[in-house]
Amino acid sequence: TEILKEFDYCPKGGATEDLKIKMLATPKIGKIDLQPIQFTNQKMQTTLKAKDVSLSLAIYKEAGYEGGKAIRLNDIGTIYKKQGELDEAIVFFNDSLKINESIKSRSEIAVNLSNIGGIYEEKGDLNKALEFYKKALEIDKELEYRRGIAIDLKNIASIYKAMEKTEEAEDYRQR
């Protein structure tokens, strides 16, 4: 069918018909919504999302679709970050970054850099956070991605404020 053709760009000659159907039938195979879904048990909510993400990651691995794998790894990192497991989160963000660098997905590289910067910020390593946020900003500027630029500028201003560098913070806030 026409919808199944969208998976033909997967390497290794495209996805098989069975795999395409599996991809379409899998809940949340696309970009998952990581916003809370009002479960009474937060752990249950995260577990359900992690299962959805893990299933789609397995399917993308089977298809040889590197971009999909990178997105899912980033999503798993986000789940760990929300659980406060920062060391686990950064492993997944870095794995996603490596794939995105290998496939030259500049926009996703910027997302990964920003996410890694966020981990360092939460860990209190403000210099390292600033380094990653500035790299993300550089890429978002190259891509002329206005939303990404705005987020990066806000993150950098926040770091400078935490470092008590008021002038720098205000400079980035005004851009």
Short mmCIF file of all heavy atoms in Angstrom, two decimals, residues 33 36 120 122:
data_model
loop_
_atom_site.label_atom_id
_atom_site.label_comp_id
_atom_site.label_asym_id
_atom_site.label_seq_id
_atom_site.Cartn_x
_atom_site.Cartn_y
_atom_site.Cartn_z
N ASP A 33 5.08 11.10 22.89
CA ASP A 33 4.74 12.22 23.76
C ASP A 33 5.22 11.87 25.16
O ASP A 33 4.72 10.94 25.78
CB ASP A 33 3.23 12.42 23.75
CG ASP A 33 2.80 13.51 24.71
OD1 ASP A 33 3.66 14.28 25.18
OD2 ASP A 33 1.60 13.60 24.97
N PRO A 36 3.38 13.97 30.88
CA PRO A 36 2.66 13.07 31.79
C PRO A 36 1.23 12.77 31.32
O PRO A 36 0.57 13.63 30.78
CB PRO A 36 2.63 13.84 33.11
CG PRO A 36 3.76 14.79 33.02
CD PRO A 36 3.90 15.13 31.57
N TYR A 120 24.42 17.91 32.18
CA TYR A 120 25.53 18.55 32.91
C TYR A 120 25.02 19.68 33.79
O TYR A 120 25.52 19.88 34.90
CB TYR A 120 26.61 19.03 31.95
CG TYR A 120 27.48 17.89 31.45
CD1 TYR A 120 27.49 17.54 30.11
CD2 TYR A 120 28.27 17.16 32.33
CE1 TYR A 120 28.27 16.48 29.64
CE2 TYR A 120 29.05 16.09 31.88
CZ TYR A 120 29.05 15.77 30.54
OH TYR A 120 29.82 14.72 30.10
N GLU A 122 22.07 19.83 35.26
CA GLU A 122 21.45 19.22 36.45
C GLU A 122 22.50 18.65 37.41
O GLU A 122 22.29 18.63 38.62
CB GLU A 122 20.46 18.12 36.04
CG GLU A 122 19.15 18.67 35.56
CD GLU A 122 18.07 17.62 35.46
OE1 GLU A 122 17.97 16.77 36.37
OE2 GLU A 122 17.32 17.65 34.47
#
